[in-house]
Amino acid sequence: MCFVHRWNISRALDSGKSLGNLTKRHLVRCENCRDFSQLGEEMGRRLTEDAASLLSDVRPGLGEKVRRVVDEQERAPSLSFSKRLQMRPVLAGAVALAVVGVSLIWLARSRPASMPQLDPIFKLKAPTTYLESALQRAESPYQEEILELKKTLKSTADYLAARFDIGLRTNN
Amino acid sequence: MRNLNKAETEVIKAATDATDEDLAARAAAGSRPAFEELVSRYGLRLFHFLRSHSGSDEDVEDLVQETFLKAYRNIGRFDPQRRFSTWLYTVAFRLSISRLRLKEPKPLQLDSEGPEHPSPGPQEALIRKEEALKAGNIWLLARTLKPREYKVLWLRYAEEMPIRDIARAMRKSQAGVRVLLHRSRLKLGKKLRVPSPATGLAEAAAAEQRLFIL
C-alpha cells in the first residue's frame, strides 16, 4: 500500500495541503515512505533554490542573438514565396514536381503526335461556303436534266400541234 | 548591441517595472523595447527549460531564438488576461517537441515519451550524474531524466507554476501533470539516494587505499 501513500504525499506537496490522517499514521510505521516524504520536501526546496542560482548566471550572447533575429524579422515582415520554398525543401520539391507534371500534361494535350492539326477558328466559316457550292455542284446535273426534259417535252408538243393542227379548244 | 537614444532608454526603464502581461500588450501594440525586456526576462529561463533535450548549448540557444521569433510573430494573439509565462512556455514546449520529432524519427516506440534521456549513452549519463552530484546543483542531475520529467519539474519548481498552467503549457490534463510530477519525484529521489556504481567504485578504492596505508 506504500504506493498509495506516496501518491498522497505527492499530491500534498503539489497542493500545499497537509497529509490525511491515514497517510500520517502510515508514515509513523513506514520508514521508506517517511524518507520519501522528507526527500520530497527537501527536493522541492533544492529545485527552487538551485534554479534561482542557475538563473543568476549570465549568458551574454543569448539576448543579442534573439534581438538580431527579431531585427531581421522586422526588416522582412513577410517572407517571400521563394524564401519559404527554401525553408521548406519538401514543399519546394512538391511544387517543382507539380509544375513539371502540369507542363507535361499541357504539352501532351496541345501537340498530339498522331492527330492532324485543326484549322484555326477564324477559318471555320469557309467549310460552310464550300459545303454550299459543293451542294450546288451536286444538285446541278439533276437541274440540267430536268431543264433538258422540259425543253424536249415542249418541242414535242409544238411539233404535234403544228402537224395535226389541233388545239385544246377544238378538241373540246 | 545597437545604440539606444534617450527616449528609448526611458521607455526601457519604465518597462522594467511593468508586469509581463503589460509588456506583452505593449509589444503587441508595436513596442520593441517592451519585447526586448521580455527577452531579457525570459531568455535564460527558456534556455534552462529547453536544456532537457539533446544537443549542444548552441542548439538550445537556437531553439530559444526560434521561440522568441515565434512569440514575436504571434504576440498579437496573446490574451493579456492570462499569464504571459504560460503562453511563452507553451510556444517553447511545442517547438521543442517538433524539433525532437524532426531530429530523432523513431517509428516504433513503446514508450511515447521517449528514452530516459535522448542524448547521452549510459556511460555519458553516468558521468553527467557524477558531475551533477559533485557540482551540487540538482538541476544537472534532473537533466538525466526524460525531457518531459525535467520540464514538468522546471515549470513546477523553477517557475512555480500552478498545475493548471503546467497542464496548459504541456498540453496535458491536470491529472496527467500530477502523475508526471509524482513519477519525476520518485525517479529523481532514487537518483539522489542510490549511489551510482562509479561512486561505489570510488568509495571502494578509497577504502582500499586507507587499508594499504594502515
Side-chain angles (χ1 to χ4, degrees), chain A residues 3 6-11 13-16 32 35-36 39-40 43-48 50-59 61-71 73-74 79 87, chain B residues 1-2 32 35-36 39-40 43-45 47-48 57-58 61-62 64-65 68-69 72-73 136-139 142 153-154 156-158 160 163 175 178-179 181-182 184-186 188-190 192-193:
Chain A
F3 72 93
R6 284 180 192 184
W7 170 246
N8 285 339
I9 291 163
S10 261
R11 287 213 65 176
L13 287 170
D14 288 336
S15 62
N32 284 340
D35 279 353
F36 176 74
L39 191 69
M43 200 192 296
R45 190 185 57 74
R46 274 191 68 187
L47 283 167
T48 307
D50 288 2
S53 85
L54 277 181
L55 294 174
S56 64
D57 292 343
V58 185
R59 203 164 178 85
L62 187 62
E64 189 55 38
K65 237 179 159 180
V66 174
R67 277 182 204 106
R68 207 180 313 131
V69 79
V70 171
D71 277 342
Q73 169 72 18
E74 269 192 342
L79 290 170
M87 286 170 73
Chain B
M1 187 80 184
R2 69 196 177 93
R32 180 65 191 276
F35 188 78
E36 286 189 3
V39 171
S40 63
L44 199 57
R45 287 154 81 171
F47 176 78
H48 287 294
D57 284 358
E58 283 70 31
E61 281 187 355
D62 285 348
V64 172
Q65 187 180 317
F68 276 116
L69 187 61
Y72 184 74
R73 282 183 192 148
N137 194 316
I138 197 169
W139 284 106
L153 287 174
W154 181 268
R156 183 77 188 100
Y157 290 105
E160 297 181 342
I163 300 285
R178 285 197 188 95
V179 170
L181 269 170
H182 177 59
S184 311
R185 279 195 201 102
L186 284 173
L188 191 58
K190 274 183 190 169
L192 279 169
R193 267 189 308 209

Side-chain angles (χ1 to χ4, degrees), chain B residues 68-88:
Chain B
F68 276 116
L69 187 61
K70 197 165 184 186
Y72 184 74
R73 282 183 192 148
N74 297 299
I75 194 85
R77 291 186 197 169
F78 167 67
D79 177 9
Q81 303 299 317
R82 298 196 170 184
R83 281 177 61 165
F84 176 76
S85 60
T86 310
W87 183 74
L88 190 65

